[in-house]
Amino acid sequence: MKPLLLLISGSPHVRALQTLALESQGWQVHEAETVSAITAWGPRPDAIVLEASAPLDGLASEDAPRRALEALGVPLLVIASAAEQERLNRQKLQALFLGHPLSLGALVEAVRAVLPPGAQAIEGLHRPTILIADDDPVSRKLLQLLLAPFRFDVVMAHDGAAALELARRRQPDAVLADVLMPRLDGFRLCLTLRKEPRLAHVPVLLTHLDAPNELDLRMAQNVGANGFVRRTQEGDEILGSLLRELRHGGFVAAASEPSPSVDEHLHGMVRRLERQVGLLTQAERAVSESEERYRLIVAGSYDGVWDWDLRRRTFWCSPRLLEMLGLPPEVFLGTYEGFVERLHPEDRDAVVNALSLHLEQGTPYDVAFRLRHAEGGYRACVSRGRALRDAAGRPIRMAGIIDDVTERLRLLRETQEAVRTRDEFLSVAAHELRTPLTALRLRLQGVSTTLLEDRPWTPERLTQTLATADRQIERLASLVDTLLDVSQLQSQAPRLELEDVDLAQVVREAVARSEQEAARAGCHLVVNPMPSTPGRWDRVRMAQVVKHLLANAMKFGPGKPVEVALESQSNTAVLQVRDHGIGIAPERVEGLFQRFERAVSARHYGGLGLGLYRVRRIVEAHGGAVTVDSVPGQGATFRVHLPRGGATVDRDRDLRPPAQA
């Protein structure tokens, strides 16, 4: 016995299409406009289909239709939107909810799933044979999938000539033919079928991607086609036309020989169509290239791409986006909820609100947030997107990009810190250069004033003035040499002139040259007994190391003694400089030997912050290392470890970049 279905829909057009789809499976369908039909229903149906366009108010728990429905105890399929589904769920309606809008094929599959096993297959039911003629394999496959839920017998041909041969062998119940095919297009195929008595009655529907214009419709009418239907992604337009033709399509008379005027008109339209074929081919090629370009962009882009289908409730992420989060494709849920769950808890409300405002009011969606990585931690991201809306303005889809800016934020912070350090260095460098220049200028002004007043000069006073000026010039030269040297050290290792040197002698000479500076700082230089320590070193560079270490000790420990010691080991020499000054905070020790780094603020202590950097670069070039031990308030001890055999020098040393901090 045929299954009996009750179809309730408020839209006559939608109800008619759904009835055609259900009756094509051999099922009986009774139509109604409102849910009140449930109370007046006679025989017990096998299932009830309720479409969202029908008023749903009668399904409250106290209403008669609700009581009648529960008394029937049959499966209820409700085609409803998410909001309507939520309202009916709150009313505790027992039903199988289907999405809205719902395709005809999905409706047939849903009804088949709830029918009893014995009622799903109707004995003796004729399965129509549908011939699909299309030269595009993708279009053929889509049409085949579109017809799959109806379980028709589908045969396919790759062009018009092959379709004609299949039609002669199989005598199909209906033909779906693309108007643009090689060898024999859809128009000529239809005209040929109409001229063969055995096939003249077969309904022929012509299809194309674009909506038919006046020329297409007149051509279809002239060749005897049953209709011209535009192919869409949903396909309900083609299905509706096909189902109507399968039910009502009768004998179509073969096209008569046209009059000369009509023949000329038809021939002119064919020529015009052929001229358009070249343009269409170029357009298809451009679309194909554009799609390929888009795939390459998505695959190679640093940005992640997402696509949220609001009707199917799926959330697609590009491979790049999943890679960005460290997620294999099978782990991500592929839902909007799965995406929201990966947002940082502090960012979720802002992102959800931004999405809602865009979907409801069209407010631009451009937000920043953090996404959880698979290995823990969060990635800083920015996202932009836009919704696609239907003819009524309702959002049906939304897509956009997500850009991982974690590394850029890190570089921005480093750049900001580098700019701050640069500005501070320029300020300190200007002060350091201005100090000796000011002293030198005052001395020169004093000499100039004395000469103008024609006052006598004593040899002692002249010697003292020149000595002071010479010290300031020497200080300026030292500062300039330091700046130039550090600039070179940043791009290459220092050049070394290795020779056999007694390090003890180099240290004693450097200490002697620092005696005057120590006297001005009130420091007493204590030199412990030093054994002869021969080795292969650069004499000038090692003197610079001792000078910088002594200057550093006197700056941060004024008025207190500075101890210098040298230990000679079998393969290594260890130079030690100890002061009794302010010491170094533990958190400042690690970066102490970098450019522009200081143990204390530059506001209280002068200097360019380059001395210890030069020490490290020179010592490392010799194959050694420099360390520091310090207790805040008790001074610091710097130790320089040097291999006595000297560093291995090669020609490429000057080309290698310095070690990065």
Side-chain angles (χ1 to χ4, degrees), residues 210-382:
D210 298 326
N213 54 29
E214 183 181 356
L215 173 63
D216 296 325
L217 295 176
R218 293 182 66 179
M219 285 281 289
Q221 182 181 9
N222 287 337
V223 299
N226 293 65
F228 194 124
V229 190
R230 181 172 64 95
R231 290 200 304 270
T232 61
Q233 186 174 3
E234 292 76 13
D236 279 356
E237 186 176 351
I238 289 182
L239 280 176
S241 300
L242 178 62
L243 293 173
R244 279 191 291 268
E245 295 302 327
L246 289 175
R247 169 180 284 190
H248 306 295
F251 178 80
V252 179
S256 60
E257 290 297 329
S259 62
S261 59
V262 175
D263 186 32
E264 292 175 0
H265 177 68
L266 180 60
H267 182 64
M269 287 190 294
V270 170
R271 285 190 303 173
R272 180 180 174 185
L273 181 62
E274 289 176 343
R275 287 196 299 269
Q276 293 178 348
V277 168
L279 298 176
L280 290 173
T281 303
Q282 294 179 5
E284 290 175 358
R285 187 182 301 112
V287 169
S288 176
E289 293 175 354
S290 178
E291 291 177 352
E292 180 65 22
R293 189 181 303 113
Y294 174 75
R295 285 192 292 267
L296 290 174
I297 291 173
V298 170
S301 173
Y302 188 77
D303 297 335
V305 180
W306 53 271
D307 183 1
W308 181 19
D309 192 328
L310 282 77
R311 295 176 300 178
R312 295 181 176 86
R313 300 184 180 182
T314 58
F315 197 94
W316 175 82
C317 295
S318 68
R320 170 58 191 150
L321 180 53
L322 296 178
E323 177 188 352
M324 186 190 304
L325 300 178
L327 292 174
E330 62 273 10
V331 173
F332 182 63
L333 298 178
T335 62
Y336 168 73
E337 291 75 14
F339 167 75
V340 173
E341 190 272 335
R342 303 204 72 83
L343 289 169
H344 193 285
E346 298 176 359
D347 300 336
R348 286 177 187 168
D349 290 343
V351 175
V352 172
N353 290 337
L355 285 169
S356 300
L357 287 174
H358 179 75
L359 294 175
E360 297 171 4
Q361 304 176 16
T363 305
Y365 177 73
D366 191 345
V367 294
F369 49 78
R370 290 161 288 178
L371 284 175
R372 189 175 74 252
H373 194 272
E375 297 179 356
Y378 288 85
R379 307 292 294 180
C381 302
V382 294

Side-chain angles (χ1 to χ4, degrees), residues 462-502:
L462 180 60
T463 301
Q464 182 181 3
T465 301
L466 293 177
T468 303
D470 184 65
R471 284 198 305 272
Q472 302 306 324
I473 293 174
E474 183 179 357
R475 184 177 177 184
L476 277 173
S478 177
L479 289 171
V480 172
D481 289 343
T482 299
L483 291 174
L484 292 175
D485 194 25
V486 168
S487 176
Q488 294 176 352
L489 292 179
Q490 179 65 13
S491 59
Q492 62 185 21
R495 294 180 177 274
L496 300 180
E497 298 293 338
L498 299 180
E499 57 180 319
D500 293 331
V501 177
D502 186 353

Side-chain angles (χ1 to χ4, degrees), residues 16-141:
L17 285 178
Q18 292 173 343
T19 299
L20 282 174
L22 297 173
E23 288 182 344
S24 70
Q25 304 303 299
W27 303 331
Q28 300 181 67
V29 180
H30 182 83
E31 300 181 17
E33 295 183 359
T34 64
V35 295
S36 60
I38 300 176
T39 60
W41 183 254
R44 183 179 183 275
D46 293 282
I48 299 176
V49 179
L50 178 59
E51 213 273 335
S53 60
L56 304 180
D57 297 335
L59 293 180
S61 57
E62 299 82 4
D63 294 339
R66 175 66 173 269
R67 295 195 301 270
L69 176 63
E70 293 175 348
L72 287 174
V74 299
L76 174 64
L77 287 77
V78 180
I79 306 172
S81 64
E84 293 164 338
Q85 176 181 341
E86 184 177 355
R87 178 166 64 87
L88 293 174
N89 278 330
R90 288 198 298 268
Q91 297 176 0
K92 299 182 179 179
L93 178 66
Q94 298 297 321
L96 173 62
F97 289 99
L98 308 176
H100 182 273
L102 185 70
S103 67
L104 297 177
L107 174 62
V108 170
E109 290 282 17
V111 172
R112 183 181 289 116
V114 300
L115 290 176
Q120 293 185 7
I122 309 301
E123 186 176 356
L125 178 67
H126 172 65
R127 295 177 58 194
T129 300
I130 310 299
L131 171 59
I132 298 175
D134 199 313
D135 61 320
D136 184 4
V138 176
S139 296
R140 292 200 304 271
K141 187 63 176 178

Side-chain angles (χ1 to χ4, degrees), residues 115-192:
L115 290 176
Q120 293 185 7
I122 309 301
E123 186 176 356
L125 178 67
H126 172 65
R127 295 177 58 194
T129 300
I130 310 299
L131 171 59
I132 298 175
D134 199 313
D135 61 320
D136 184 4
V138 176
S139 296
R140 292 200 304 271
K141 187 63 176 178
L142 290 176
L143 289 173
Q144 184 184 24
L145 294 175
L146 188 66
L147 297 174
F150 296 87
R151 301 186 178 180
F152 295 153
D153 186 9
V154 179
V155 293
M156 294 186 289
H158 61 274
D159 60 27
L164 181 60
E165 293 298 323
L166 271 175
R168 289 167 176 168
R169 293 200 312 267
R170 299 292 297 269
Q171 290 191 339
D173 295 276
V175 177
L176 294 174
D178 183 27
V179 295
L180 297 178
M181 291 186 294
R183 299 172 61 189
L184 195 66
D185 61 33
F187 294 112
R188 293 172 180 170
L189 172 63
C190 181
L191 186 61
T192 304

Side-chain angles (χ1 to χ4, degrees), residues 427-472:
S427 176
V428 173
H431 174 74
E432 291 293 321
L433 291 170
R434 191 181 295 114
T435 300
L437 281 174
T438 301
L440 180 60
R441 183 179 181 184
L442 290 175
R443 290 295 179 183
L444 293 177
Q445 287 177 347
V447 172
S448 178
T449 302
T450 303
L451 292 175
L452 290 175
E453 295 177 355
D454 198 21
R455 288 185 293 176
W457 279 82
T458 63
E460 294 79 6
R461 183 181 178 187
L462 180 60
T463 301
Q464 182 181 3
T465 301
L466 293 177
T468 303
D470 184 65
R471 284 198 305 272
Q472 302 306 324

